[in-house]
Amino acid sequence: MNIVDSLVQAAIQGAKQLYDIKLDPSEVTMNVTRKEFVGDYTLVVFPLTKHVKKNPEALGQELGEYLKANTPEVKDFNVVKGFLNLVVEDQYWLDFLNSIYQNPDFGRQPRNGRKVMVEFCSPNTNKPLHLGHIRNMLLGWATYKIYDAAGFDVVRVQIINDRGVAICKSMWAWQNYGQGTTPESSKIKGDHLVGDYYVAFERHFQEEYKNWQDSSAGQVVFAEKKKEGQDEATFFKSFKDLYFNEYSKIGAEVRAMLLRWEANDPATISLWKQMNRWVYAGFEETYDKLGVAFDKLYYESNTYLLGKDIAEQGLADSVFYKQEDGSVWIDLEDAKLDKKIILRRDGTSVYMTQDLGTAELRYQDFACEKMIYVVADEQNYHFQVLFEIMKRLKRPYAEGLFHLSYGMVDLTTGKMKSREGTVVDADDLVAEVIEEASKNSHERGTLAELTAAEQAEVVRKIGLAALKFFIIKVHPKKRMTFNPEESVDMQGQTGPYVQNAYVRCSSMLSKAGNPDLSPAAQYTALETQEKDLISQLYQYPELIVQAAKEHDPSMIASYSYELAKNFHRFWHDFRILQAESEAAKAFRIKLSMAVRQVLRSSLDLLGIEAPEKM
RNA sequence: GGCCCCAUAGCUCAGCUGGAUAGAGCAACUGACUUCUAAUCAGUAGGCCUCAGGUUCGAAUCCUGAUGGGGUCACCA
């Protein structure tokens, strides 16, 4: 049994014996003792004064004496104000260390046979991935890893938004200005190439729009449709979408292209397939670099018509209703949400319908009891509505739906806006952090004896660790500010700092060779720092379970940092290979092995690799 | 305007279901490498936890309200 649980049980027993009261475990708060005090776990006595009319200190004293006398794990105790600090027998910690130091899977929970789906990334195919996708992918990947470690079978999926007006814009621009350029001929990565034509489209469109604004036709529209007192610039800014749909010549061509696509026109489909292939090849490269992968990809081109049968069923069950114009709606006002459209009056699906259909399809494919959507918080409302609809439709998976909503990434210069060209490209960013790690590494010269290829590998791991840790240490829900300088920091609360603790272990252990560890049995009196490390390792399995339950990878990042920090201090204050005795040496080697395993494992949960040297 | 989210050191962030004197890192200053990797360690300095009420033995944490910031309220996705 867990030590905390057994201490709580023992305290409940004690309260019964001493005062004849029956405590519920929820009334007994058992915390890890704060650094300033002596002890391992602390029982907060105050709540007990409700049941027993004694002052907290006397209560603590009596309970402490009881626990010391009757609980084998409790070696000693002290009472400070209303806090009963318990000291756990060193032997307990030593036994625990012995049980884990050779187990690389320590912390992983047994398979529970339950299935979870994680959807993440889900890009559009008209432009390359950017910093926002990176946060998304890191969260998604960590969620996969954490759930996997927590015992679940995890299916990683994404929905590729491969159709619609956006990709048609790229297609149109390529057709008109591309002159047959390919990724091969231009030496440009496929997703970037397609993105370039998306930008080119915008440029031509803006040019056309500007000309129109200055023309008499534009001026007439301005005069007719402007709001009271609206100046020309403001008017035309807000008029852009309408212009695109109703006035623009190239807008009309793009829309015609979309219609041809929907009609399965062979030439259009073939161009679409070709450009999407380029994009996918580019995306694959980026996924590889970031170390993420998927089990199944869903494509919007296959799902955008889905959900109509669900709409029918919803109508039959009176969850939905039909308006006179034929459109189908749901009224969620009683749930403090609005009325929401399900089918257009022409009977076609909207975003919501597609998501209903896609969820259904996925359930048919994998029958996961939980589906986690890693999507930015701008879509909070959408998912609230989606999940509410699922509940009303009584889908079997409705209760297991979760929106892992994360805050947008801001730059120090403000928001990222693709229209204003202030997006941070994913490939560029990865290249930069690796370059920075490389510079750093060469200054130190610690990799001199490695081959160039090995050095590159180490440097890649370090750079990515800096970037990934920087992003993932922030709680998902919080909006974060991305400072490019800080993202490549390698000192302090960073990925490389944690890696460094791992490397120190590895380096020392490889120097140790294959030592005889049996003298460790003679090591019975733990130093505080040693005990703190073991106690921290002890928390790891529970941490994994918690992080899964809370959908919060940042918990793992905090933990790995704290563990690394404690190890670094231990390393500074104590000798391992030249310890004061054979017993201490053997014990500390075991301790380092355990710490090393958990550092590696916790980094792995974050998608960060641990190098052996750095 | 309705609904939702956020607010902690100069900056970036932790702070578990309420518990002891609110913690890290960065930046600044001071020390520690002939040593198992100094990408490290130790120290100094830095706070009306946005504000005002409430619940409680006890509040950064829970409740209400206000202020500031963000999101969202499409027959777009």
Side-chain angles (χ1 to χ4, degrees):
Chain A
M1 197 200 314
N2 187 295
I3 181 78
V4 177
D5 292 340
S6 43
L7 289 176
V8 168
Q9 284 308 322
I12 290 173
Q13 273 273 303
K16 191 167 189 314
Q17 296 273 317
L18 294 171
Y19 314 113
D20 195 34
I21 54 168
K22 196 161 166 12
L23 289 177
D24 189 83
S26 67
E27 293 176 281
V28 185
T29 10
M30 192 73 69
N31 300 328
V32 173
T33 304
R34 297 180 58 131
K35 276 220 156 53
E36 327 64 288
F37 302 96
V38 175
D40 298 309
Y41 292 98
T42 296
L43 192 153
V44 185
V45 185
F46 298 103
L48 307 190
T49 57
K50 272 182 211 142
H51 301 279
V52 186
K53 296 230 168 5
K54 282 191 176 176
N55 72 58
E57 286 190 56
L59 265 174
Q61 191 66 29
E62 289 172 4
L63 207 51
E65 276 161 17
Y66 174 89
L67 289 174
K68 186 177 174 182
N70 297 287
T71 315
E73 296 95 331
V74 177
K75 173 180 165 188
D76 208 349
F77 75 95
N78 63 79
V79 180
V80 182
K81 296 194 226 166
F83 298 90
L84 170 58
N85 300 315
L86 301 169
V87 182
V88 172
E89 284 288 353
D90 283 357
Q91 197 53 48
Y92 182 87
W93 296 122
L94 289 162
D95 290 345
F96 166 70
L97 178 64
N98 274 322
S99 73
I100 65 152
Y101 81 99
Q102 284 176 304
N103 176 12
D105 287 336
F106 168 65
R108 286 180 69 84
Q109 303 298 302
R111 301 286 90 196
N112 59 21
R114 299 167 64 184
K115 277 173 94 173
V116 180
M117 176 175 285
V118 183
E119 179 201 281
F120 60 102
C121 193
S122 303
N124 297 327
T125 60
N126 62 313
K127 49 181 183 254
L129 304 170
H130 58 67
L131 179 53
H133 293 110
I134 290 188
R135 189 176 194 191
N136 183 308
M137 287 188 271
L138 296 180
L139 284 170
W141 187 257
T143 300
Y144 146 62
K145 281 285 185 179
I146 290 166
Y147 263 88
D148 175 63
F152 292 80
D153 290 328
V154 188
V155 183
R156 303 157 300 182
V157 303
Q158 60 174 335
I159 176 112
I160 315 253
N161 302 298
D162 61 343
R163 49 143 250 126
V165 77
I167 183 67
C168 285
K169 287 178 180 175
S170 292
M171 286 157 62
W172 182 89
W174 185 84
Q175 214 167 37
N176 284 276
Y177 304 100
Q179 296 167 324
T181 316
T182 67
E184 291 73 32
S185 73
S186 63
K187 301 275 193 297
I188 297 176
K189 196 163 162 278
D191 50 338
H192 288 260
L193 183 71
V194 172
D196 289 346
Y197 284 99
Y198 186 73
V199 172
F201 172 85
E202 274 301 313
R203 206 173 49 238
H204 284 104
F205 174 71
Q206 286 294 351
E207 198 182 304
E208 187 205 71
Y209 190 26
K210 187 78 194 70
N211 287 336
W212 181 79
Q213 289 170 24
D214 297 339
S215 75
S216 52
Q219 287 299 316
V220 167
V221 170
F222 171 58
E224 277 175 4
K225 304 207 167 173
K226 70 169 175 181
K227 290 192 190 112
E228 195 58 34
Q230 199 173 29
D231 68 77
E232 202 174 315
T234 318
F235 171 80
F236 281 122
K237 208 174 164 190
S238 63
F239 193 69
K240 192 181 152 198
D241 283 353
L242 253 173
Y243 172 77
F244 177 86
N245 284 319
E246 291 177 17
Y247 298 85
S248 166
K249 183 169 157 288
I250 64 179
E253 289 180 23
V254 167
R255 278 181 301 114
M257 187 176 250
L258 182 58
L259 287 176
R260 284 201 302 279
W261 182 89
E262 284 173 359
N264 258 313
D265 169 60
T268 309
I269 295 288
S270 143
L271 173 61
W272 171 75
K273 280 189 175 164
Q274 178 183 54
M275 291 188 75
N276 273 338
R277 257 201 311 275
W278 294 342
V279 171
Y280 299 146
F283 284 172
E284 274 309 317
E285 230 179 88
T286 310
Y287 299 152
D288 277 356
K289 273 190 259 183
L290 282 168
V292 305
F294 300 88
D295 297 307
K296 176 159 175 106
L297 308 185
Y298 289 87
Y299 295 89
E300 199 203 349
S301 53
N302 294 328
T303 63
Y304 82 111
L305 297 173
L306 289 178
K308 288 187 198 174
D309 43 343
I310 295 183
E312 288 307 316
Q313 195 203 325
L315 275 173
D317 298 347
S318 304
V319 177
F320 302 152
Y321 64 92
K322 194 172 257 184
Q323 266 190 359
E324 284 168 22
D325 64 1
S327 57
V328 176
W329 294 72
I330 184 165
D331 183 350
L332 296 171
E333 280 172 0
D334 54 336
K336 278 169 91 176
L337 301 165
D338 301 303
K339 293 194 173 79
K340 203 73 198 170
I341 190 155
I342 303 296
L343 289 179
R344 297 189 182 95
R345 57 172 167 259
D346 62 7
T348 53
S349 300
V350 292
Y351 179 37
M352 189 65 68
T353 332
Q354 290 175 40
D355 268 5
L356 290 168
T358 305
E360 193 71 15
L361 176 64
R362 286 170 173 176
Y363 188 68
Q364 285 161 14
D365 286 349
F366 296 103
C368 294
E369 65 174 275
K370 279 178 76 81
M371 294 199 233
I372 299 170
Y373 296 81
V374 183
V375 180
D377 64 6
E378 59 187 347
Q379 294 202 40
N380 283 354
Y381 179 72
H382 171 76
F383 282 102
Q384 254 184 296
V385 171
L386 179 70
F387 297 168
E388 181 63 27
I389 296 176
M390 295 295 199
K391 279 181 196 153
R392 295 189 184 203
L393 290 172
K394 300 198 167 55
R395 308 319 297 165
Y397 47 85
E399 297 300 326
L401 297 169
F402 183 80
H403 175 203
L404 176 38
S405 161
Y406 63 91
M408 306 286 248
V409 184
D410 291 322
L411 304 178
T412 43
T413 48
K415 290 173 68 169
M416 274 205 294
K417 287 184 175 160
S418 48
R419 284 187 301 274
E420 292 166 25
T422 54
V423 286
V424 175
D425 178 76
D427 296 312
D428 291 350
L429 184 55
V430 168
E432 276 164 37
V433 293
I434 292 172
E435 176 54 33
E436 188 65 26
S438 175
K439 263 195 268 170
N440 248 287
S441 185
H442 285 300
E443 279 169 24
R444 288 167 217 277
T446 44
L447 303 177
E449 71 275 21
L450 299 183
T451 67
E454 288 167 336
Q455 288 186 20
E457 183 62 4
V458 169
V459 155
R460 184 188 67 81
K461 288 178 181 172
I462 297 172
L464 281 172
L467 175 64
K468 291 180 173 184
F469 197 92
F470 179 75
I471 290 175
I472 221 160
K473 72 176 184 187
V474 180
H475 191 283
K477 212 161 75 174
K478 296 220 178 159
R479 225 181 153 86
M480 68 173 292
T481 314
F482 183 84
N483 181 327
E485 280 105 62
E486 287 176 13
S487 74
V488 295
D489 274 351
M490 317 230 163
Q491 279 154 28
Q493 198 178 58
T494 66
Y497 174 97
V498 182
Q499 287 178 320
N500 184 228
Y502 176 87
V503 165
R504 283 178 148 184
C505 287
S506 290
S507 172
M508 181 274 294
L509 288 168
S510 78
K511 284 213 168 75
N514 197 5
D516 175 18
L517 297 180
S518 59
Q522 269 70 59
Y523 194 75
T524 50
L526 290 171
E527 299 285 348
T528 310
Q529 288 195 42
E530 293 166 342
K531 194 162 73 174
D532 286 349
L533 277 168
I534 300 178
S535 157
Q536 202 176 3
L537 294 173
Y538 189 87
Q539 294 164 31
Y540 186 56
E542 181 60 25
L543 172 80
I544 290 173
V545 173
Q546 274 299 319
K549 196 186 286 176
E550 313 255 330
H551 305 95
D552 180 7
S554 72
M555 290 172 70
I556 307 283
S558 298
Y559 175 88
S560 67
Y561 169 71
E562 289 297 329
L563 182 59
K565 187 178 160 70
N566 283 333
F567 185 78
H568 276 309
R569 189 180 16 197
F570 169 69
W571 176 277
H572 178 267
D573 292 350
F574 294 88
R575 314 263 68 208
I576 300 171
L577 297 183
Q578 293 85 38
E580 58 275 18
S581 68
E582 282 304 303
K585 175 180 165 183
F587 162 76
R588 285 177 193 156
I589 286 176
K590 282 186 179 180
L591 179 57
S592 304
M593 288 169 78
V595 168
R596 178 173 175 273
Q597 298 283 19
V598 174
L599 286 173
R600 188 196 49 71
S601 164
S602 57
L603 285 175
D604 179 61
L605 295 182
L606 305 176
I608 296 174
E609 297 171 83
E612 294 304 314
K613 294 187 171 174
M614 68 189 288

